């Protein structure tokens, strides 16, 4: 039970750390995107949903429990950072963010997802 509370407190800390004098929401956003890309975010979220929706699953998880926990905390911290950015109206346009993947890879990933979207959108318009 102690271990569960320790994990939950880590999420709560993300709410409270925004009040620290040296808190920098932009640095938090940069840190997240330097560790995760869209594909890894999707994989972690799918793993979280699989764990939640299929509690009877006996197979080994695709992502370790520790990695899922780290991702969940990092994602929540990033959400809090974006919240603060919007609340304080911090302009992100001039800020350089280093992504885990190259810009070319990201462009290809976005183009692939757009093609899939366009395909299903066209199908939905025909019916």
């Amino acid at each position: 039970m102690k271990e569960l509370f320790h994990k939950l407190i880590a999420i709560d800390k993300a709410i409270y750390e925004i009040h620290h004098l040296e808190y920098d929401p932009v640095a938090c956003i940069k840190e997240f995107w330097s560790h995760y890309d869209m594909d890894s975010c999707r994989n972690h979220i799918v793993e979280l949903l699989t764990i939640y929706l299929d509690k009877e699953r006996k197979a080994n998880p695709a992502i370790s429990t520790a990695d899922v926990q780290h991702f969940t905390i990092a994602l929540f911290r990033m959400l809090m950072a974006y919240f603060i950015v919007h609340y304080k109206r911090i302009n992100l346009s001039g800020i350089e963010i280093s992504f885990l993947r190259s810009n070319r890879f990201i462009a290809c990933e976005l183009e692939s997802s757009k093609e899939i979207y366009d395909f299903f959108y066209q199908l939905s318009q025909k019916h």
Side-chain angles (χ1 to χ4, degrees), residues 46-57:
V46 165
E47 187 65 25
L48 281 167
L49 286 172
T50 302
I51 292 166
Y52 177 75
L53 296 174
D54 189 6
K55 294 177 181 169
E56 302 297 318
R57 182 175 67 164

Side-chain angles (χ1 to χ4, degrees), residues 23-69:
Y23 177 74
D24 182 358
V26 174
C28 185
I29 292 166
K30 287 180 173 184
E31 181 181 346
F32 181 87
W33 290 118
S34 72
H35 288 91
Y36 299 100
D37 60 11
M38 291 187 304
D39 194 44
S40 64
C41 286
R42 180 199 170 280
N43 292 341
H44 280 83
I45 291 170
V46 165
E47 187 65 25
L48 281 167
L49 286 172
T50 302
I51 292 166
Y52 177 75
L53 296 174
D54 189 6
K55 294 177 181 169
E56 302 297 318
R57 182 175 67 164
K58 302 294 183 206
N60 291 331
I63 301 171
S64 76
T65 303
D67 284 346
V68 171
Q69 291 167 356

Side-chain angles (χ1 to χ4, degrees), residues 62-127:
I63 301 171
S64 76
T65 303
D67 284 346
V68 171
Q69 291 167 356
H70 291 295
F71 170 78
T72 304
I73 292 165
L75 180 64
F76 190 65
R77 278 193 172 121
M78 185 192 60
L79 289 173
M80 291 302 299
Y82 275 116
F83 172 79
I84 294 298
V85 163
H86 288 288
Y87 178 75
K88 292 186 175 182
R89 300 175 202 249
I90 298 171
N91 185 357
L92 293 177
S93 63
I95 297 182
E96 192 75 29
I97 295 178
S98 296
F99 294 105
L100 179 63
R101 302 282 187 144
S102 69
N103 284 346
R104 182 176 175 173
F105 182 88
I106 293 169
C108 289
E109 202 171 40
L110 288 171
E111 184 59 33
S112 294
S113 65
K114 183 178 181 333
E115 288 173 5
I116 293 168
Y117 168 82
D118 289 344
F119 173 76
F120 284 107
Y121 180 78
Q122 288 173 359
L123 283 177
S124 71
Q125 297 304 305
K126 292 179 182 178
H127 291 98

Side-chain angles (χ1 to χ4, degrees), residues 17 19-24:
E17 68 187 16
H19 301 290
H20 191 276
L21 290 176
E22 296 171 5
Y23 177 74
D24 182 358

